[in-house]
């Protein structure tokens, strides 16, 4: 169990530096003092995001763990320190990443709970009701994000039993010291319902926008909550609500864009989205890093080759995962003209194919994307397709916009597909290409009730939804300290 006093934001774990969410030196202060001034409260808001972007959570480890499972990558060395146990679907209750992702996820949840408790006890009176509600909304969105991501690894997908399977312990109050940690698991459905409650509150109380592109990318605003709800409802196969939410920020026709608040839209260049300053309007929510605030290990360090295989001084990665030569990277429908193929690098000596979407191995400055506008568009396209009795024109236009942004040689019309099933397959393949290396493929496999693919290169068999290794086990520390906890 990880909810210990060290998670308390009363330690003032981060302070504002310029407009970035970067930590300064910690300062030990009392619970009362932590909420005594607007500046200290603002610092604690930054601290909540700091917990979310921990290296072992959304700093890098969660995304790599998800992709290591999902079949697009091959482990080059079966290094346990680089998630080889996850790659081989052999995790146990004591596997490092099983424990670390759970721990940092619940650290972020408790940081949000501590902050909400402090605001309710006096912080809101210091900053005023409107600002106080803005801040609480940010904390509740962070809590929702943490619960959502933990669900994707440690619980059965919603499709398995319509949400009736064991979900997560829903810890919704602050834990500032050692005590009774016993709390049973809520169901998957109950966990999703709490996530949606937090996101609905966030939508109502977050600001419309901030003063800079950096803040509009790295702090939650109304569009952030709406975008995340499209993902949550898609995971629940609640396609009607995906459409309802997406329609709030996706125009009825091309060029697709949010009609108000932050001008979120598909960026003309996919390459620009993954280059500094990482703050295009496509990036609805990302985890930021600077030279003074870098994760312990970056996404790029896992996926980039060393200098002996095409890496440079800044892109000298650990070469832990190359792209599967029998996977989506070599799919014939992904044309050579597609700009996203510029993210792929053929090793100069090994001839392995590497992903360079995250370009910097050292220093670790690539932002980690949580949700992009292209995902909202494809979420909406899929939901429209699945609720329509025929091929939906707007759904096709959304898919075509995402594809044509990167591949000018390809556009779609309603006559491009033999039937609606073929159209849905095209949407799923587009997601597979568009979000390669962004930790989304594993969630897509699970929400559709599909097998986790086999990895013939290392004799790893596929895992069906009924297999014990389809999801992570509950960590041993949680099982020891939480007497009401049950394992998967």
């Amino acid at each position: 169990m990880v909810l210990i006093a060290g998670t308390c934001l009363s330690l003032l774990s981060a302070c504002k530096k310029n407009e970035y969410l970067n930590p300064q030196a910690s300062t030990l202060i009392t619970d009362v003092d932590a909420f005594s001034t607007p500046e200290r409260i603002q610092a604690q808001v930054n601290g909540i995001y700091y917990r979310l972007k921990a290296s072992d959570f959304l700093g890098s480890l969660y995304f790599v763990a998800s992709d290591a499972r999902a079949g697009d990558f091959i482990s080059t060395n079966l290094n346990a320190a680089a998630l080889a146990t996850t790659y081989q679907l052999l995790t146990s209750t004591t596997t490092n990443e099983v424990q670390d992702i759970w721990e940092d996820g619940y650290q972020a949840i408790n940081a949000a709970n501590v902050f909400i408790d402090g605001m309710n006890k006096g912080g809101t009176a210091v900053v005023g009701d409107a600002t106080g509600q803005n801040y609480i909304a940010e904390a509740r969105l962070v809590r929702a994000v943490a619960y959502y991501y933990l669900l994707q690894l440690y619980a059965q997908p919603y499709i398995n039993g319509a949400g009736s399977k064991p979900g997560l312990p829903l810890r919704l109050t602050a834990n500032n010291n050692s005590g009774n940690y016993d709390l049973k698991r809520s169901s998957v459905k109950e966990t999703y319902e709490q996530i949606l409650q937090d996101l609905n509150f966030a939508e109502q109380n977050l600001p419309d926008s901030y003063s800079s592109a950096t803040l509009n990318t790295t702090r939650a605003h109304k569009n952030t909550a709406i975008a995340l709800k499209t993902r949550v409802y898609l995971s629940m196969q609640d396609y009607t609500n995906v459409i309802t939410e997406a329609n709030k920020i996706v125009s009825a026709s091309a060029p697709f864009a949010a009609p108000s608040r932050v001008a979120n839209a598909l960026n003309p260049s996919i390459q620009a989205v993954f280059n500094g300053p990482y703050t295009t309007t496509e990036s609805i929510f990302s985890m930021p890093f600077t030279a003074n605030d870098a994760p312990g290990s970056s996404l790029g360090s896992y996926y980039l080759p060393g200098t002996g295989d095409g890496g440079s001084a800044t892109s000298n990665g650990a070469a832990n995962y190359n792209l599967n030569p029998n996977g989506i990277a070599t799919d014939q429908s992904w044309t050579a003209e597609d700009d996203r193929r510029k993210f792929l690098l053929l090793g100069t000596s090994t001839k392995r194919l590497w992903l360079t979407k995250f370009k910097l191995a050292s220093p670790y400055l690539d932002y980690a994307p949580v949700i992009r506008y292209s995902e909202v568009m494809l979420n909406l396209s899929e939901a429209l397709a699945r609720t329509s009795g025929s091929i939906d024109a707007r759904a096709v236009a959304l898919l075509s916009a995402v594809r044509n942004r990167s591949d000018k040689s390809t556009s779609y019309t309603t006559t491009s597909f033999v039937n609606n099933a073929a159209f849905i397959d095209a949407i799923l393949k587009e997601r597979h290409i568009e979000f390669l290396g962004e930790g989304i493929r594993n969630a897509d496999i699970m929400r559709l009730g599909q097998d986790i693919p086999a990895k013939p290169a290392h004799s790893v068999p596929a895992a069906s939804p009924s297999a014990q290794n389809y999801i992570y086990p509950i960590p041993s520390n949680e099982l020891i300290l939480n007497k009401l906890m049950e394992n998967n």
Side-chain angles (χ1 to χ4, degrees):
M1 186 61 213
V2 301
L3 299 179
I4 57 176
T7 67
C8 180
L9 279 187
S10 296
L11 298 184
L12 205 59
S13 61
C15 297
K16 186 175 181 182
K17 182 177 181 181
N18 299 324
E19 291 181 313
Y20 294 89
L21 304 177
N22 301 325
Q24 293 178 353
S26 298
T27 304
L28 184 63
I29 59 177
T30 67
D31 288 354
V32 174
D33 287 343
F35 293 88
S36 62
T37 68
E39 293 76 19
R40 285 178 171 174
I41 292 171
Q42 174 64 68
Q44 296 217 56
V45 175
N46 296 338
I48 301 169
Y49 290 100
Y50 184 62
R51 290 293 189 188
L52 192 63
K53 67 175 187 173
S55 291
D56 288 343
F57 199 41
L58 301 193
S60 63
L61 195 66
Y62 170 87
F63 301 109
V64 179
S66 296
D67 281 326
R69 286 164 49 89
D72 286 327
F73 294 88
I74 292 178
S75 174
T76 61
N77 49 25
L78 292 183
N79 181 359
L83 296 97
T85 310
T86 287
Y87 169 81
Q88 297 174 93
L89 305 179
L90 294 175
T91 53
S92 70
T93 61
T94 58
T95 302
N96 285 341
E97 58 263 31
V98 169
Q99 298 193 84
D100 292 344
I101 292 173
W102 180 276
E103 178 177 337
D104 274 16
Y106 270 99
Q107 292 270 15
I109 289 165
N110 195 53
N113 290 338
V114 169
F115 179 79
I116 293 167
D117 183 60
M119 293 301 291
N120 289 334
K121 287 181 178 178
T124 297
V126 173
V127 297
D129 186 65
T131 299
Q133 291 298 96
N134 287 168
Y135 288 165
I136 291 171
E138 288 185 81
R140 290 188 65 169
L141 183 136
V142 165
R143 184 170 70 184
V145 168
Y147 272 125
Y148 175 82
Y149 278 115
L150 290 173
L151 269 180
Q152 309 315 304
L153 289 179
Y154 296 91
Q156 289 289 334
Y158 196 91
I159 191 177
N160 188 349
S164 63
K165 301 297 183 181
L168 301 171
L170 282 174
R171 300 189 181 275
L172 305 175
T173 57
N175 188 345
N176 295 325
N177 47 54
S178 300
N180 181 8
Y181 298 129
D182 295 344
L183 181 64
K184 69 177 184 178
R185 299 174 73 169
S186 296
S187 69
V188 168
K189 181 179 180 181
E190 290 167 336
T191 310
Y192 271 115
E193 287 173 346
Q194 179 59 49
I195 291 168
L196 288 168
Q197 286 179 33
D198 281 345
L199 292 177
N200 285 331
F201 179 91
E203 180 190 355
Q204 293 300 313
N205 292 282
L206 285 169
D208 288 350
S209 63
Y210 296 97
S211 60
S212 70
T214 297
L215 293 177
N216 283 334
T217 303
T218 60
R219 286 183 67 178
H221 46 79
K222 290 186 187 297
N223 285 6
T224 316
I226 295 165
L228 289 167
K229 280 196 284 182
T230 71
R231 177 189 284 177
V232 172
Y233 281 123
L234 194 72
S235 297
M236 300 171 71
Q237 297 194 344
D238 185 345
Y239 302 119
T240 299
N241 272 315
V242 173
I243 296 168
T244 297
E245 296 299 330
N247 280 340
K248 297 175 182 177
I249 57 174
V250 180
S251 54
S253 59
F256 299 104
S260 60
R261 299 184 293 267
V262 178
N264 293 122
L266 198 67
N267 192 269
S269 166
I270 185 64
Q271 294 294 320
V273 174
F274 289 92
N275 278 295
Y278 311 101
T279 56
T280 70
T281 53
E282 179 167 339
S283 300
I284 299 175
F285 189 40
S286 297
M287 299 291 99
F289 300 102
T290 69
N292 295 323
D293 172 35
S297 58
S298 70
L299 288 167
S301 67
Y302 287 97
Y303 298 134
L304 292 169
T307 53
D309 203 31
S312 66
T314 57
S315 66
N316 181 22
N320 289 308
Y321 288 94
N322 66 280
L323 285 161
N324 184 349
N326 299 311
I328 192 65
T330 56
D331 190 282
Q332 293 300 306
S333 66
W334 189 1
T335 68
E337 294 80 11
D338 196 313
D339 203 32
R340 292 170 295 193
R341 284 205 169 273
K342 294 178 182 177
F343 291 134
L344 310 185
L345 173 68
L346 187 66
T348 54
S349 59
T350 66
K351 304 306 178 184
R352 291 170 174 165
L353 202 58
W354 304 99
L355 179 69
T356 65
K357 181 178 280 186
F358 308 103
K359 296 177 172 58
L360 300 173
S362 180
Y364 309 145
L365 303 184
D366 293 298
Y367 282 22
V370 176
I371 192 163
R372 296 193 281 121
Y373 195 77
S374 60
E375 183 186 345
V376 179
M377 293 172 65
L378 292 177
N379 291 349
L380 177 56
S381 180
E382 183 179 341
L384 289 168
R386 292 188 184 277
T387 55
S388 175
S390 58
I391 298 175
D392 183 89
R394 185 182 180 212
V396 172
L398 287 159
L399 171 62
S400 189
V402 175
R403 169 54 71 104
N404 195 246
R405 180 262 295 270
S406 297
D407 179 6
K408 304 302 182 186
S409 69
T410 304
S411 297
Y412 298 118
T413 68
T414 54
T415 61
S416 299
F417 310 98
V418 296
N419 54 38
N420 203 42
F423 173 43
I424 292 172
D425 286 344
I427 297 170
L428 295 174
K429 182 170 287 188
E430 195 67 24
R431 293 176 65 88
H432 203 165
I433 296 169
E434 177 73 9
F435 307 121
L436 182 62
E438 296 180 52
I440 290 176
R441 178 62 183 161
N442 180 72
D444 277 353
I445 289 170
M446 295 183 70
R447 70 178 172 86
L448 297 170
Q450 298 173 346
D451 289 358
I452 296 174
K455 304 177 181 74
H458 291 103
S459 301
V460 179
S464 70
S466 61
Q468 187 175 6
N469 62 345
Y470 194 68
I471 56 176
Y472 271 177
I474 300 301
S476 58
N477 289 342
E478 179 73 27
L479 294 171
I480 292 169
L481 293 173
N482 182 355
K483 303 305 182 186
L484 296 179
M485 189 66 183
E486 57 180 309
N487 207 341
N488 294 319

